[in-house]
Amino acid sequence: MSKFLNDNLKGLEAYTPGEQPRDKKYIKLNTNESPYPPSPEVVEAVSASEVVDLRLYSDPLCKILKEKLAIRYGVNYENVFVSNGSDESLNFYFMAFCSKEKSVVFPEISYGFYKVFAELYGISYETIPLKADFSIDVSDYIGINKNIVIANPNAPTGLALSLPDIEEIVKSNPENIVLIDEAYVDFGAESAVSLTKKYDNLLVVQTFSKSRSLAGARLGYAIGNAEIIADLEKIKYSTNPYNINRLTLVAGAAAIDSDSYFADNCKRIMETREYTEKELTKLGFYCIPSCSNFIFAKRDTISGEDLYLKLKEKGVLVRHFSTPSICEFNRITIGTQEEMETFIEKVKECLV
Ligand SMILES: *Cc1c(COP(=O)(O)O)cnc(C)c1O
């Protein structure tokens, strides 16, 4: 840290992304990326002529992509915001709607970035513990008169709330914006997008990073009431009007056009998840029932960290969190069927 850093940032603890080591070839089950490549249409869209056009700025309106998203989700153009990864939509939500006076709450165990944004902007925030079974207690969020952020399905547990539960939370906090982060919704949970038509205080955030195999392209979006979306646009035009690069814009549009390709991949991933869950259970693991592209699992006779380190030595990367309440677990991203068969073999080796 330099002596020049602003005093209010000196204590900030930045977000730690999952490791992306280059020392050898790993089976990478640690950052919830898709094991499958983007669709052929996406590969084709990122053409040589598009690369040549990189000399030109990208469309700040992101018009084509927004129109496609609006049609895909049955909303209007004015209800869609697109961002550089969904992290940027989250960032703008905290910047635009939360403050020292206007506090925000989120579950104690959830996506680590929420806390980072809150601290970055000096926002008052509160975290709410999960129940003993790691599920979210909906009653904790009813009528609390604060901004609320919930990942649904939650990370790293993989548990999802039902749509009626989400609706109760949204309905009971009409003076606050409820943000539902649906990064993993395509792997078996119910989306709250339809509720954005009924409630003006709901913002649903999704991403191309997981179910659409475009983590490296950095593309996310938010769907909500037109006035909220206009506020997010205001932040965008006050920070980075060209927030989506040209290659990502065409890749994203092509990805929407090949929806069924990605739906098939999600189905395959869910099948492989069932296989992995079953095999881990046979080996004596406890797996939290997952609605996402990962499994959160632990076994009594081996510590979470020990298993993580042993697997890494054997060329398999999973995600371990040192937070005390979840340090016995590992978060295991679902890879291809073949990768998961190898993973199970390596786990067996770790247990002898
Ligand atoms: C991966 C993830 C994101 C961020 O995704 P990007 O679109 O790649 O920025 C947001 N929220 C949750 C819960 C995630 O797991």
Side-chain angles (χ1 to χ4, degrees):
M1 182 168 27
S2 82
K3 64 181 179 187
F4 306 106
L5 188 66
N6 288 341
D7 282 344
N8 54 342
L9 295 179
K10 286 198 166 117
L12 178 68
E13 229 182 283
Y15 177 72
T16 319
E19 54 192 326
Q20 304 279 4
R22 307 274 182 239
D23 58 330
K24 61 175 179 185
K25 188 123 182 67
Y26 287 95
I27 294 184
K28 244 187 122 281
L29 310 177
N30 70 325
T31 47
N32 296 343
E33 291 142 331
S34 174
Y36 301 113
S39 66
E41 289 84 350
V42 170
V43 176
E44 202 173 313
V46 184
S47 61
S49 73
E50 203 56 44
V51 173
V52 170
D53 280 348
L54 282 176
R55 71 185 179 82
L56 302 168
Y57 281 112
S58 57
D59 173 18
L61 297 173
C62 307
K63 192 150 184 289
I64 294 170
L65 177 61
K66 266 196 197 175
E67 282 169 354
K68 285 187 190 288
L69 279 166
I71 292 168
R72 165 67 179 76
Y73 289 99
V75 297
N76 294 323
Y77 179 83
E78 298 73 33
N79 301 118
V80 183
F81 178 73
V82 293
S83 59
N84 191 313
S86 59
D87 285 338
E88 191 179 54
S89 285
L90 300 173
N91 181 9
F92 289 1
Y93 166 87
F94 281 87
M95 213 191 285
F97 306 116
C98 309
S99 66
K100 204 167 168 192
E101 293 74 34
K102 188 74 194 167
S103 61
V104 60
V105 306
F106 39 86
E108 187 171 83
I109 300 297
S110 192
Y111 185 41
F113 230 134
Y114 307 148
K115 183 165 170 244
V116 177
F117 287 131
E119 294 195 346
L120 174 62
Y121 300 123
I123 292 161
S124 326
Y125 69 94
E126 223 178 277
T127 58
I128 299 183
L130 298 176
K131 292 199 273 193
D133 64 358
F134 290 99
S135 64
I136 288 172
D137 190 338
V138 176
S139 67
D140 289 340
Y141 298 85
I142 301 296
I144 58 172
N145 196 29
K146 287 177 180 142
N147 283 325
I148 295 170
V149 178
I150 290 177
N152 194 48
N154 196 12
T157 64
L159 290 169
L161 293 177
S162 72
L163 205 51
D165 282 344
I166 302 267
E167 181 163 9
E168 278 310 302
I169 295 171
V170 174
K171 193 159 69 173
S172 69
N173 292 284
E175 299 306 315
N176 296 271
I177 302 182
V178 178
L179 184 150
I180 304 296
D181 179 351
E182 296 187 345
Y184 301 105
V185 75
D186 296 332
F187 301 103
E190 273 178 294
S191 174
V193 163
S194 61
L195 294 178
T196 61
K197 294 184 187 172
K198 199 164 159 193
Y199 299 97
D200 64 4
N201 64 322
L202 170 63
L203 188 65
V204 176
V205 172
Q206 294 192 5
T207 178
F208 283 71
S209 293
K210 277 91 187 209
S211 59
R212 291 191 178 105
S213 306
L214 286 172
R218 313 304 305 125
L219 186 59
Y221 50 100
I223 296 176
N225 172 269
E227 287 174 13
I228 298 179
I229 297 299
D231 293 338
L232 294 175
E233 293 289 355
K234 184 173 184 157
I235 303 281
K236 158 178 153 150
Y237 280 98
S238 307
T239 51
N240 188 8
Y242 309 105
N243 63 337
I244 318 290
N245 74 70
R246 297 185 76 95
L247 301 182
T248 296
L249 279 179
V250 293
I256 301 289
D257 287 339
S258 29
D259 220 34
S260 66
Y261 168 91
F262 292 107
D264 286 349
N265 283 348
C266 289
K267 189 161 162 275
R268 212 167 293 146
I269 289 168
M270 287 187 272
E271 283 162 7
T272 306
R273 180 182 74 205
E274 302 317 315
Y275 158 83
T276 310
E277 222 169 72
K278 210 183 291 165
E279 292 301 313
L280 283 174
T281 308
K282 270 195 236 163
L283 293 176
F285 280 82
Y286 166 66
C287 301
I288 297 182
S290 172
C291 292
S292 55
N293 68 340
F294 56 82
I295 295 174
F296 207 45
K298 69 168 179 176
R299 191 179 194 279
D300 283 341
T301 56
I302 186 164
S303 81
E305 186 176 21
D306 210 24
L307 180 63
Y308 156 75
L309 289 171
K310 282 186 168 154
L311 282 171
K312 186 171 176 181
E313 220 175 79
K314 293 175 188 297
V316 179
L317 278 183
V318 297
R319 186 88 196 256
H320 177 256
F321 299 93
S322 52
T323 313
S325 57
I326 53 170
C327 68
E328 291 311 314
F329 286 80
N330 277 290
R331 192 193 67 192
I332 303 142
T333 304
I334 304 304
T336 62
Q337 178 67 25
E338 196 187 353
E339 284 175 326
M340 299 321 281
E341 285 169 15
T342 308
F343 163 76
I344 293 292
E345 286 313 308
K346 301 288 179 191
V347 171
K348 280 182 189 160
E349 289 171 25
C350 294
L351 296 178
V352 292

